[in-house]
Amino acid sequence: MEQSALSTASFLLKGEWKMAEAYTIVFQPSGRRGEVPAGKTVLAAAQELGVGIEASCGGKGVCGKCRIIVEEGRFEKLGLVSGASHVSERGETEEKFFTEDELSRGYRLACLTQITGDLVVTVPEESRSVKQVILEKGKKRTFTINPAVKQYTIKLPAPTLEDARDDRRRLLDVLEEKEGLSGLTVDYPVLRTLPRTLRENDWLVTVSVWQGKEVIRVESGEAPHSLGIAIDIGTTTLAAFLCDLVTGELLSKASRMNPEIGYGEDVLARISYAMANEDGGEKLQRAMQDAVSELAAQMTGEIGRTPSEVDEMVLVYNTAMHHFTLGLDSRYVGRSPFAPAASDALDIKARDLGILINPSANIHSLPIEAGFVGADNVAVLLAEEPYNSESVKLIIDIGTNGEIDLGNKERLLSTSCATGPALEGAQIAFGMRAAPGAIERIEINPETYEPRYKVIGKDEWFPDISFTGAQGICGSGIIDVVAELYRAGIISKAGRINTKLDTPRVRKDDKGKAEYVLAWAPETAVHKDIVITQGDIRAVQLAKGAIYVGAKYLMEKYGIDHVDEVILAGAFGSYINKKSAMALGMFPDCALEKVQAVGNAAGDGARIALLNVEKRKEAAKVAREVEFIETAVEPDFQTRFMEALAIPHAKDEFPHLKEGDA
Amino acid sequence: MEQSALSTASFLLKGEWKMAEAYTIVFQPSGRRGEVPAGKTVLAAAQELGVGIEASCGGKGVCGKCRIIVEEGRFEKLGLVSGASHVSERGETEEKFFTEDELSRGYRLACLTQITGDLVVTVPEESRSVKQVILEKGKKRTFTINPAVKQYTIKLPAPTLEDARDDRRRLLDVLEEKEGLSGLTVDYPVLRTLPRTLRENDWLVTVSVWQGKEVIRVESGEAPHSLGIAIDIGTTTLAAFLCDLVTGELLSKASRMNPEIGYGEDVLARISYAMANEDGGEKLQRAMQDAVSELAAQMTGEIGRTPSEVDEMVLVYNTAMHHFTLGLDSRYVGRSPFAPAASDALDIKARDLGILINPSANIHSLPIEAGFVGADNVAVLLAEEPYNSESVKLIIDIGTNGEIDLGNKERLLSTSCATGPALEGAQIAFGMRAAPGAIERIEINPETYEPRYKVIGKDEWFPDISFTGAQGICGSGIIDVVAELYRAGIISKAGRINTKLDTPRVRKDDKGKAEYVLAWAPETAVHKDIVITQGDIRAVQLAKGAIYVGAKYLMEKYGIDHVDEVILAGAFGSYINKKSAMALGMFPDCALEKVQAVGNAAGDGARIALLNVEKRKEAAKVAREVEFIETAVEPDFQTRFMEALAIPHAKDEFPHLKEGDA
């Protein structure tokens, strides 16, 4: 501990550490964040914010288990900061726990690292005391399996002095004779190791062929089925799916925070970052390459396979994330006339994108539409197929950038809206991703104002169990709680907390701001009261208002005053409670039985495109044909948006919403 | 100097330095080599061997100009060695002259680096006191210009809110409308910077399109002509040609030593190295990537252009160099049944090969034939076109691996022979590449035994000038001198030096071995007598014997006893004297006027394939149709080879060789 006192002193001397100042810390991949006083250790901050980090020795710098990575980070309000100068210096005590490589990557011990500035910290898998559990359940969809990559197990004749054909030609000749595949090329990385692979198992090999055109992998002997990965890259969250490319089976899922959050909370901030820094675009891309590679390693590792067996990947994202991920110059996509660098579907080699799977695998990027309506919305459309439907569907894909589609087989409109990350659990006082410890369902008794709530990972509700281990609230919980606060009369139509109520649950914080206590400290794993603040409620209102207005504009353009069906999609991990969403006034009135929460439809669409190459043609068609409507430029947008903040927007517009429903 | 004494002492203590031991040192890119006593500095060794290194301060460790790079090296006879332990340690005096990066790449000051083991040293361009001059003159050949890459300068309509097509589509649409190019793809690296490039010059751009299929470069405005590079990668020497891809003009040439020489003198030693070391293949490839990238930088720099403007490259090489350069597993190509990894022509992206030109440029590798007869021989055939000829041609491509072709439009045979590097000036006591200071022509007076000789870079002959600045002898000089030694009666038919002659020019060295003094120390730039040793003569006999026997076998297989024409090709830089070659008995008898020395035909063929894409189809055809003859397996090979060592093989077999001719 002497060493850390020393380094604290050195910061004091340099004047870099101002007492009593507070900094923002963000933990990856959980996304938990909070304000912490300068000088606090990262471990202490993690414990306060409910981020589980292993620390067997109790934070004495002895066990070496609380390994974290200090990332370079950036917060919009503060401009560019470098993580390196925002923590105390590393001493010898710490260094001995790490390899040279780890040191260069910013590894630290959380218990010996003091916070001296805004910070993004990654908690690597091995240091997490709570392992991530993925709860997303996909809507049942019928997949036709027709992947871009197909495998062939073939036996080659061994070369002789009479038949000294080269290895490449020998392979292609058999593929043509036995499988009828002619005119194939062999991707360069495959050639490098071909001689040894062919001979390892007496000329019996399994060949992965892409689109009937190119050999992208050769394995000796009878190899296991090829793997494929689909990833929905959201502004705040990444959701990844590992599939068997032969059976279509979903083998593993994983999700994590978008690592680019360190360079800007929203896409415009990140575009600014990329423009303002010479290597800005490269840094954004590098962060994404690493995150995607890690997801591939994690998911394949879980089923005892390797990333090198992943022969195809499909990515979906909004237009900005598309540009960042592919490393395309993004400066012009954020300004009028908003022309993207590329819209059509692209196939790019994994090695060119720096993604560590089979280097010859193709990364298929679904086409983007227009403005910020990107490939993720195309994926939603692929999954929901409104273009094959008679009835008019309103599809709302909730994310930091929300997308709304309206239409049927006759006509299809789409728009985007700036929802913000609140409905994903981010920028909420106790917000978190849908992971064990997250409160996902809430009911509030309108007489006692006492809540019942359910935590992910526990079957029983509070107060049926007294210790729930709650750590925060995820997106579906946030929607629930605001709807319930209103139903119980704790908040007004305008969203204001009634501080005159006779309950200890409603109180004011140090700064006089009202809040509702959802869970008392002893019930929780964070040893703090979990509260909903006035600010949280406001964030939810802004999000739902933006969605509502967007949907109404589309209905007007389409010329209808009601929709047949409402589809609520989103990658926030836990199913949204459609009654709560309706009670909040998130979408125009519709019969509740015609409202459906489908989970991550963009992720489902990405999987469909991964497993059925024919669907990619459908994607190209729908991307071309859907009409993009820019709603934010409408003259009455601001007025209507302000009106839409109320809860519910207007009771008489929701004949289907009965008192008992919400 | 104290520091270097210290490090010497440390070597003595470790017992790593044995007094009076001699080590081999090889200088790159010149290829000069020699034995030096342990403890000598690299600068002293360079001065002794005639390798020009800048040293303004006279070797005091003050000026910092004598920068060299100590390479990891390997000499066949010694097994694997690492350069790092074969020189004295680096002290602080030295370190301050270099950046971190340079230190990690093995940079040293030659004056402070003592030799403590076998060594390969690179003298970087900036440290060379004699700049390389390339003297190769190509045979005049008619090129049809039809390159794989064509350029189009086009103007795009700027995007508007009504026409917000993406940049990629906008570009492809104009290329289709204006140039009729449909179905084009855009290579990924081009996409990354496309938005900025399009807008930099008000939507006027110059587009490089490969094979009418793929956009590989977009430059803003009207860009200069695309560049192309052809390289003949020999076992010992690399010869590179920079061309204008529109006019076909040869803009620059460069040559350098094959950097893989550090891993083995011949291809079999390098294959062994690649097999014995886990990263052996990678090291060989890395060395070649760097050398090719440097050649590109050097040649484009000379004409004020950049390597990023090089849109296409053609490589030719023997089968082993083909595998090393492309990083293909080479272990099976060296053992029966000698199946290569790939034979057909390949197009590989520059970025995949790690060659620093336009990353989207294709590296076109001409097809290889069989055994060690590779793409370089295909290039020779493309240049000489025996397959279009009525008369029967014998084509001898002299290199470390010699290739011989025989035939005409009816039938074409080829074989390879192990010539060794003597005829390229390597493994010869005073051998050097054809560069300024190299003796290239010799005549010896049969009465006085006094020579006349000519040095590259000087117009006058010795003894017309008394100081010639000679540094060594290049390949053509070596052939000349052996032929002249025989004509003057200084050596016998068996190649033995007659030490009984009354001339100071013939003498014995310390070990009693006979040698002929070609230049006395005062005439030279190396301040030493330049001599031809008995060993040098033997090396030339082995080389010419191998060629002669190979040619005779082909004639027998073809069923002829004389040839209509003899073509002498080779990348040794200075034109071979055909009379001397004939006098040595390098090839079967032929009318002297029907013997032609054509210089680097393989390099010419590579240029033809670079500039005319149609010729690549011809290459594929000839590679398939030429009959490869394995001569070394013939039962009487050894006997005939021994017979062929005599000079000339048999006087009566050379009716065309009159006394006055040689």
Side-chain angles (χ1 to χ4, degrees), chain A residues 370-450:
Chain A
F372 284 126
V373 180
D376 47 2
N377 193 50
V378 173
V380 167
L381 296 173
L382 273 194
E384 291 298 329
E385 300 184 12
Y387 44 78
N388 291 331
S389 156
E390 295 284 348
S391 64
V392 174
K393 292 184 182 186
L394 173 68
I395 304 170
I396 300 170
D397 188 28
I398 304 169
T400 310
N401 294 283
E403 278 101 35
I404 308 173
D405 302 293
L406 178 74
N408 61 2
K409 62 198 303 181
E410 305 300 330
R411 187 183 176 199
L412 203 51
L413 308 180
S414 76
T415 190
S416 62
C417 55
T419 320
L423 302 186
E424 292 174 84
Q427 286 182 345
I428 291 288
F430 281 82
M432 66 179 287
R433 289 195 313 123
I439 297 173
E440 60 167 346
R441 286 281 172 271
I442 296 110
E443 292 173 4
I444 298 176
N445 184 319
E447 284 162 26
T448 62
Y449 308 122
E450 283 299 306

Side-chain angles (χ1 to χ4, degrees), chain A residues 24-27 30-35 49 51 75 257 261 265 421 425-432:
Chain A
T24 301
I25 183 163
V26 180
F27 286 94
S30 70
R32 292 306 296 270
R33 63 169 58 214
E35 299 284 313
L49 295 166
V51 175
F75 294 91
M257 194 175 177
I261 205 108
E265 296 282 353
Q427 286 182 345
I428 291 288
F430 281 82
M432 66 179 287

Side-chain angles (χ1 to χ4, degrees), chain B residues 143-165:
Chain B
F143 285 81
T144 304
I145 309 297
N146 181 20
V149 176
K150 294 195 172 68
Q151 283 177 299
Y152 304 89
T153 299
I154 53 172
K155 175 94 177 179
L156 275 55
T160 60
L161 278 171
E162 291 67 44
D163 169 20
R165 269 177 303 171

Side-chain angles (χ1 to χ4, degrees), chain A residues 498-577:
Chain A
N498 182 354
T499 52
K500 307 227 172 73
L501 295 178
D502 180 22
T503 167
R505 294 272 175 183
V506 173
R507 68 185 189 193
K508 288 186 177 174
D509 70 7
D510 311 343
K511 292 167 190 154
K513 297 239 170 96
E515 60 187 24
Y516 174 79
V517 182
L518 182 55
W520 299 107
E523 300 158 23
T524 74
V526 290
H527 314 301
K528 292 172 76 172
D529 296 344
I530 292 177
V531 302
I532 308 298
T533 69
Q534 186 67 64
D536 295 346
I537 295 163
R538 193 72 182 163
V540 171
Q541 288 177 275
L542 290 169
K544 73 101 189 176
I547 294 167
Y548 181 85
V549 173
K552 288 296 277 185
Y553 274 118
L554 290 193
M555 288 166 71
E556 283 164 25
K557 297 278 174 194
Y558 201 92
I560 51 176
D561 58 7
H562 87 282
V563 297
D564 301 328
E565 288 179 55
V566 175
I567 311 283
L568 298 174
F572 27 44
S574 181
Y575 272 66
I576 194 172
N577 181 341

Side-chain angles (χ1 to χ4, degrees), chain A residues 26-49:
Chain A
V26 180
F27 286 94
Q28 296 192 117
S30 70
R32 292 306 296 270
R33 63 169 58 214
E35 299 284 313
V36 288
K40 194 175 275 255
T41 66
V42 172
L43 184 61
Q47 287 165 343
E48 229 166 75
L49 295 166

Side-chain angles (χ1 to χ4, degrees), chain A residues 290-345:
Chain A
D290 291 348
V292 170
S293 298
E294 283 164 25
L295 283 169
Q298 177 189 335
M299 290 191 295
T300 51
E302 274 167 16
I303 59 163
R305 303 282 294 271
T306 65
S308 63
E309 297 171 88
V310 177
D311 279 343
E312 180 97 342
M313 187 180 272
V314 169
L315 300 182
V316 302
Y317 21 42
N318 62 47
T319 305
M321 292 310 310
H322 168 275
H323 280 54
F324 300 149
T325 302
L326 303 183
L328 308 180
D329 190 344
S330 60
R331 79 190 67 207
Y332 307 104
V333 80
R335 65 170 81 143
S336 181
F338 309 102
S343 292
D344 293 339

